[in-house]
Amino acid sequence: MQKLKEQLKIVSKSLATLSKQVDKITKQVDKLQPPKAVPAKKAAAPAKKAAASAKKTVAKKNAPAGKVAVLDSVFDAIKKAGKGINIAALKEKTGLNPRQLSNALYKLSKRDMIVAKSRGLYFKK
């Protein structure tokens, strides 16, 4: 039991010295970095949220190029295939992985741009 108490005292002293070293390091880091700007008013926060939501609606209309390009490429492949197209041909023409292709087909069908006449056979609506 005595040894355990001695070991605990040693650990306690070590932790105290480590704490002091951490304090010194944080003070040095604070000197290197300029203080962060603090928002002037809390009332400005709702206005920022409104502006952010307006940006989101604009972003939805002008969707990022990557997502639109995927949907466009899948829709173009379906549109060009007059008699419909199956999943294997879509994979080959678009070069998408199965998950991307599945997501694109789901989104296009929800937008009523395509229709599945039978399982795995898609047509332009």
Side-chain angles (χ1 to χ4, degrees):
M1 189 67 155
Q2 187 65 26
K3 283 187 176 182
L4 182 62
K5 286 183 180 181
E6 289 175 10
Q7 289 175 347
L8 286 173
K9 285 181 183 179
I10 293 171
V11 168
S12 175
K13 288 180 183 179
S14 298
L15 286 174
T17 56
L18 285 174
S19 175
K20 289 178 184 178
Q21 289 176 349
V22 168
D23 288 339
K24 286 181 184 178
I25 292 172
T26 54
K27 287 178 183 178
Q28 290 175 351
V29 169
D30 288 341
K31 288 179 184 178
L32 295 175
Q33 295 178 347
K36 294 181 180 178
V38 179
K41 296 180 182 178
K42 289 187 177 181
K48 287 182 181 179
K49 287 182 182 179
S53 65
K55 286 181 183 178
K56 286 181 183 177
T57 56
V58 171
K60 286 181 183 177
K61 290 178 184 174
N62 303 329
K67 291 182 180 180
V68 173
V70 170
L71 292 179
D72 285 342
S73 65
V74 173
F75 184 69
D76 288 342
I78 293 171
K79 189 168 52 172
K80 288 178 184 175
K83 296 181 180 180
I85 191 166
N86 62 13
I87 294 174
L90 279 172
K91 279 185 194 177
E92 185 178 316
K93 288 186 179 189
T94 60
L96 299 173
N97 66 36
R99 177 110 185 201
Q100 287 175 314
L101 188 58
S102 174
N103 288 341
L105 291 170
Y106 174 77
K107 288 177 184 179
L108 289 171
S109 65
K110 285 296 176 185
R111 294 180 185 177
D112 288 330
M113 297 173 75
I114 63 169
V115 64
K117 295 280 182 172
S118 65
R119 186 172 181 189
L121 188 61
Y122 296 93
F123 290 89
K124 179 184 164 214
K125 204 167 188 181

